[in-house]
Amino acid sequence: MEHKINELLQKLSLDEKLAMVHGAGLFRTGGVERLDIPAFYFSDGPHGVRAEFHNSKWIAVNQNDDFVSYLPCNSTLASTWDRELAYKSGYVLGEEARGRGKDMILAPGINMKRSPLCGRNFEYLTEDPYLAGEFAVQIIKGIQENDVSACVKHYAVNGQETDRLMVDTIADERTLREIYLPAFKKAISEGGSYSIMGAYNKLNGSHCCEHKALLDEILRKEWGFDGTVVSDWGAVHRTKETAEVSMDIEMSVTDNFDEYFFANPLKEKIEKGEINIAYVDEKVRNVLRMMYRLNMLGEDKENRKKGAYNTPEHREAMYRVAADGIVLLKNEDRKLPLASKIKKIAVIGKNAEVMHAYGGGSSEIKALYEICPLMGIKMYLGGNTRVCYAPGYLIPEKKQEGDVNWQQDSVSAEALAALPVPVSENDMTDTDEGKALLEQALAIAKECDEVIFIGGLNHEYDVEGNDRASMKLPYGQDKVIEALLKVKPDMTIVMIGGAPVEMPWRDRAKAIVWAYYAGMETGNALADILFGKVNPSGKLAETFPITYADTPTAKNGEFAKPGRIELKEGVFVGYRYYESKEVEVAYCFGHGLSYTEFSFSNFEVAEAENGKLAVHFTISNVGERAGAEVVQVYTGPANAGDIHPVKELKGFEKLYLEAGESRDVTIMLSKEDFAHYDCEKKAFVTEPGEYKLMVGVSVQDIRWETKLVSKGTIQ
Ligand code: BGC
């Protein structure tokens, strides 16, 4: 292949080379017809294949041929803790992208959830680098199986939307190595991603798309990446500095394609001898290599996979992800599942009927369909049950969109200067309309046998370009929930939203279900869980703090500030912080309930081949229903002090068991799973001493622990 690439390179003129390294449309580069090199087509990502846009305008083509499967958002997917479902989800995404004629899908989004308020958290997987890496690998493999490139994003440390194009994120080496880089490393070295997206933000003073250490040293040299680096749309700021690092394709949001930094400005500098053509050749080589891998070039061109979209198999897979990813947070007195023979049921809350596919920013989807919770419940119960719906709270009319598409607008100076709008502004419960809605909801709740409240967030809040200003529920929902709990203390509460919210009423609620945005099959999956056809098995892949004030970013004030943020909490992100500093949380990392019960026995750890450790145990489903449990393995130094987290996830397995079934299970760990990054040695080091190995069903619910002694290793 390398030989063929070099041969092709010889034949290309400078203009032809440049055509391949920058946008010639909003979602494509130029091809070279003369040499049969096709244009390269991109699409967002990550929750399906985005609607078709005009080549040079942010206006949807608006034909009726680009409806697609709407996948559960990455937060739902991560809550499945099921690698096979991650692969399936990637497969659907890749097959649909290919079916729509795309060469690259701009997914998966794997940034660490550093603060619950980041507007794009719903697009990301988790707060844990190991879990993110494991999922990224599977998603990427699934995508690329279809002759479509994944583009793992946003590299790196892209953790806030405020001032997203310019903010300078200050992070120390250890924090980068332990928290923010491992998932990207795995995506490249194990997932084999053909592409990676350079993030908008700066890291330690330098824009990610011109960051020598990130791109040349770490990505190319250390991790051996030989695919393409694509800039986020509008993330390139200068010609020479970007051309002279490993950034291959410049994409942006404006239609002046010839004026992109990698177009005429780069040509000029090359012709004047200010930039060596070898830099461009290397970029073109990377692009051609990717094209060969995708069978866009070469002997297998005729056999390139053709993809498919909207297949019944895709819908089935999306249903499974939704059903496995919805999390049962609380179930006092076995309130759930609800009986399905019921005369009159109240469904209250606007999120019962809101469709979420079309929102959120670049991950918006033109869904073939989306079954909202209300429809799912009605379809499940059928005509003999009266389902009384009331919105319960008022969502104010959306402000009129401007003439310019948000995506183009998002790089304007005004947009960059804008700060998030405080959510409390949207409390409408004191308006006449708001009061009337609450009255109506209370009246309905009183006369029904069961009440399900379905609220949460929507893409006004979980949205690209804006961070949330607080963790409170919008539209005064807390007041509505409190009022409803007074008349129906046993009501079930369902939350739909992309990131944690404060739930001040949670101690008084009997049952709480968290669904994120679970895709086109949301309503079916949710109804199946509420009424017991499906036994819930989702587990949180992020911590739900009690209040925002409890979070590390609230304590250090280093979030959602324009200009510069310092990751002062270091490696103490998510549960690493709450566990180590003993801060109480609402629902911990790894938490999620089931309608059955599991017990464990025969724990032991043994040395295995190649310096591995085998953690053995027997798991039994001792309840009356089939179900799944996610067993999680954590490690930590016995004396972590202030330096190391007390627990870090290093292994997990989702196990499906019939009622009464027992199974012997082994989870493998490696000795490196006890190591920490040593900045002086520039390596992961396991210091000599005692370590804990803990096996549990959440970070707090540890069922067995043992101590191990290490003599010390350096990797
Ligand atoms: C987003 C990317 C997205 C790109 C293309 C950017 O605004 O940050 O995630 O892939 O646009 O739509």
Side-chain angles (χ1 to χ4, degrees):
M1 187 164 78
E2 295 305 312
H3 178 68
K4 286 188 205 152
I5 290 171
N6 282 328
E7 266 183 6
L8 259 181
L9 195 66
Q10 300 293 317
K11 296 181 190 155
L12 289 166
S13 69
L14 177 59
D15 284 331
E16 288 169 337
K17 287 176 186 171
L18 292 177
M20 293 171 65
V21 298
H22 70 84
L26 295 173
F27 285 102
R28 72 172 182 93
T29 59
V32 182
E33 232 185 296
R34 178 178 80 81
L35 295 170
D36 258 355
I37 301 174
F40 193 91
Y41 286 87
F42 307 82
S43 177
D44 283 300
H47 305 136
V49 189
R50 200 174 180 185
E52 218 52 48
F53 279 89
H54 283 281
N55 188 61
S56 46
K57 278 199 202 106
W58 287 100
I59 299 174
V61 169
N62 243 344
Q63 284 176 188
N64 283 338
D65 58 358
D66 55 355
F67 291 92
V68 291
S69 297
Y70 163 39
L71 279 64
C73 73
N74 274 346
S75 303
T76 309
L77 178 61
S79 310
T80 67
W81 290 64
D82 186 328
R83 294 177 180 88
E84 189 194 322
L85 289 179
Y87 175 84
K88 275 203 173 138
S89 199
Y91 192 90
V92 171
L93 196 53
E95 190 166 50
E96 297 228 350
R98 192 73 279 278
R100 287 265 312 275
K102 307 300 175 195
D103 303 308
M104 180 186 288
I105 185 88
L106 304 169
I110 66 165
N111 292 104
M112 285 298 110
K113 297 186 187 191
R114 176 176 171 253
S115 161
L117 299 186
C118 171
R120 291 186 86 172
N121 274 355
F122 72 103
E123 282 189 69
Y124 303 145
L125 292 157
T126 166
E127 66 190 22
D128 181 76
Y130 172 72
L131 186 57
E134 289 295 291
F135 264 64
V137 167
Q138 298 302 324
I139 298 170
I140 290 163
K141 285 189 173 162
I143 291 172
Q144 295 190 166
E145 185 64 39
N146 290 288
D147 289 348
V148 167
S149 174
C151 184
V152 59
K153 68 189 187 183
H154 309 87
Y155 184 62
V157 207
N158 187 178
Q160 75 170 42
E161 290 302 289
T162 307
D163 192 23
R164 65 178 184 151
L165 260 69
M166 289 299 172
V167 67
D168 189 6
T169 308
I170 309 299
D172 62 65
E173 185 72 9
R174 177 179 163 220
T175 303
L176 290 175
R177 297 287 179 168
E178 290 190 17
I179 305 291
Y180 295 95
L181 298 182
F184 283 103
K185 180 179 179 187
K186 230 183 214 177
I188 300 303
S189 55
E190 283 178 40
S193 190
Y194 299 151
S195 185
I196 187 166
M197 185 185 288
Y200 279 136
N201 53 285
K202 290 181 196 154
L203 176 63
N204 295 332
S206 169
H207 267 290
C208 287
C209 285
E210 55 181 63
H211 204 292
K212 268 192 195 315
L214 268 186
L215 299 172
D216 293 349
E217 301 301 324
I218 297 175
L219 180 64
R220 298 280 184 199
K221 280 204 197 118
E222 280 184 36
W223 302 347
F225 181 64
D226 64 358
T228 61
V229 182
V230 178
S231 77
D232 200 342
W233 270 230
V236 174
H237 298 270
R238 300 186 288 185
T239 304
K240 189 172 162 65
E241 292 75 0
T242 320
E244 292 185 346
V245 294
S246 284
M247 232 298 307
D248 302 307
I249 303 177
E250 182 201 357
M251 297 302 292
S252 193
V253 295
T254 50
D255 62 359
N256 55 339
F257 307 113
D258 291 340
E259 299 315 316
Y260 281 18
F261 297 98
F262 276 12
N264 288 340
L266 179 54
K267 186 177 177 185
E268 250 168 57
K269 289 200 187 302
I270 287 174
E271 285 174 344
K272 282 192 196 149
E274 289 171 23
I275 295 177
N276 193 327
I277 182 75
Y279 287 111
V280 176
D281 287 350
E282 196 50 34
K283 299 180 197 312
V284 175
R285 262 192 213 105
N286 292 334
V287 174
L288 288 172
R289 192 175 300 116
M290 174 171 70
M291 286 182 156
Y292 273 108
R293 286 175 171 155
L294 297 174
N295 290 325
M296 297 174 74
L297 299 172
E299 284 134 33
D300 282 335
K301 212 161 81 175
E302 299 310 317
N303 300 325
R304 185 177 189 199
K305 299 217 171 117
K306 68 181 175 62
Y309 58 117
N310 298 319
T311 71
E313 292 77 24
H314 292 179
R315 297 196 276 279
E316 166 66 27
M318 292 311 92
Y319 166 79
R320 269 216 51 207
V321 174
D324 271 50
I326 293 175
V327 186
L328 178 59
L329 292 178
K330 184 173 180 187
N331 197 19
E332 209 172 283
D333 303 333
R334 294 181 183 256
K335 168 71 196 166
L336 294 178
L338 300 172
S340 51
K341 275 203 176 146
I342 186 170
K343 284 220 178 72
K344 221 170 161 195
I345 185 167
V347 175
I348 295 169
K350 197 69 186 152
N351 257 349
E353 58 156 350
V354 171
M355 305 278 204
H356 298 283
Y358 284 85
S362 59
S363 64
E364 65 191 5
I365 291 302
K366 190 171 162 186
L368 178 65
Y369 64 82
E370 177 179 350
I371 296 178
C372 68
L374 185 59
M375 186 150 97
I377 290 170
K378 286 191 167 182
M379 281 159 63
Y380 188 94
L381 291 174
N384 293 342
T385 303
R386 248 187 83 197
V387 180
C388 307
Y389 169 67
Y393 55 91
L394 186 66
I395 300 185
E397 290 278 307
K398 221 178 138 186
K399 8 175 197 10
Q400 205 57 38
E401 295 274 346
D403 292 344
V404 186
N405 173 283
W406 72 269
Q407 200 149 9
Q408 194 173 343
D409 204 28
S410 72
V411 298
S412 69
E414 298 83 56
L416 291 177
L419 285 173
V421 186
V423 282
S424 53
E425 276 184 14
N426 283 326
D427 181 347
M428 306 299 281
T429 45
D430 284 339
T431 64
D432 286 348
E433 231 181 313
K435 281 182 195 155
L437 284 181
L438 179 55
E439 287 303 307
Q440 179 202 25
L442 290 171
I444 288 175
K446 275 181 205 152
E447 66 186 40
C448 285
D449 311 324
E450 278 296 344
V451 178
I452 306 175
F453 178 85
I454 305 184
L457 303 171
N458 55 37
H459 287 306
E460 291 281 297
Y461 294 86
D462 292 308
V463 68
E464 180 171 337
N466 208 10
D467 295 311
R468 279 189 297 158
S470 102
M471 235 176 77
K472 295 204 186 324
L473 275 173
Y475 316 124
Q477 286 179 75
D478 285 333
K479 290 184 198 159
V480 176
I481 293 172
E482 297 282 4
L484 283 166
L485 278 172
K486 279 196 188 125
V487 303
K488 274 283 172 198
D490 72 339
M491 83 168 169
T492 299
I493 299 178
V494 176
M495 288 281 123
I496 291 186
V501 295
E502 289 170 15
M503 297 182 245
W505 31 262
R506 80 196 147 84
D507 285 344
R508 267 156 287 131
K510 289 258 181 238
I512 308 174
V513 175
W514 190 276
Y516 288 109
Y517 301 110
M520 64 202 297
E521 289 283 337
T522 296
N524 283 334
L526 182 65
D528 286 351
I529 284 178
L530 292 174
F531 297 101
K533 189 173 162 197
V534 166
N535 189 353
S537 63
K539 298 265 184 177
L540 294 179
E542 65 185 304
T543 309
F544 276 46
I546 297 175
T547 67
Y548 181 62
D550 296 330
T551 66
T553 52
K555 295 231 165 80
N556 63 30
E558 293 291 326
F559 177 74
K561 289 190 308 174
R564 181 179 188 276
I565 50 159
E566 206 174 319
L567 309 188
K568 285 191 181 152
E569 71 285 356
V571 299
F572 293 94
V573 173
Y575 71 85
R576 285 169 168 73
Y577 173 81
Y578 303 109
E579 287 298 299
S580 305
K581 313 286 171 194
E582 296 179 357
V583 176
E584 201 193 330
V585 301
Y587 300 103
C588 71
F589 179 81
H591 170 76
L593 303 172
S594 165
Y595 296 153
T596 188
E597 269 168 50
F598 298 91
S599 77
F600 294 87
S601 55
N602 303 333
F603 279 111
E604 66 169 40
V605 60
E607 294 246 3
E609 281 171 14
N610 305 329
K612 299 257 182 205
L613 287 175
V615 183
H616 300 292
F617 56 89
T618 306
I619 179 171
S620 307
N621 179 349
V622 293
E624 272 145 34
R625 290 164 181 262
E629 181 58 288
V630 178
V631 182
Q632 305 154 36
V633 182
Y634 297 88
T635 65
N639 299 307
D642 281 344
I643 305 163
H644 297 299
V646 292
K647 286 176 195 160
E648 294 189 282
L649 182 75
K650 297 294 172 181
F652 66 89
E653 214 54 67
K654 186 162 193 172
L655 304 158
Y656 294 80
L657 281 95
E658 295 299 327
E661 189 187 341
S662 287
R663 197 177 312 157
D664 294 332
V665 180
T666 302
I667 297 180
M668 300 300 290
L669 291 194
S670 67
K671 290 192 175 152
E672 290 89 67
D673 289 330
F674 297 84
H676 289 98
Y677 192 76
D678 184 317
C679 291
E680 273 171 28
K681 299 197 175 85
K682 292 201 174 299
F684 275 88
V685 169
T686 309
E687 313 243 339
E690 269 193 335
Y691 289 84
K692 279 192 198 170
L693 188 154
M694 295 152 274
V695 186
V697 294
S698 80
V699 74
Q700 286 180 1
D701 192 351
I702 298 297
R703 300 296 173 91
W704 183 72
E705 74 173 62
T706 188
K707 275 191 187 154
L708 301 169
V709 177
S710 170
K711 292 191 197 106
T713 54
I714 300 184
Q715 282 147 45

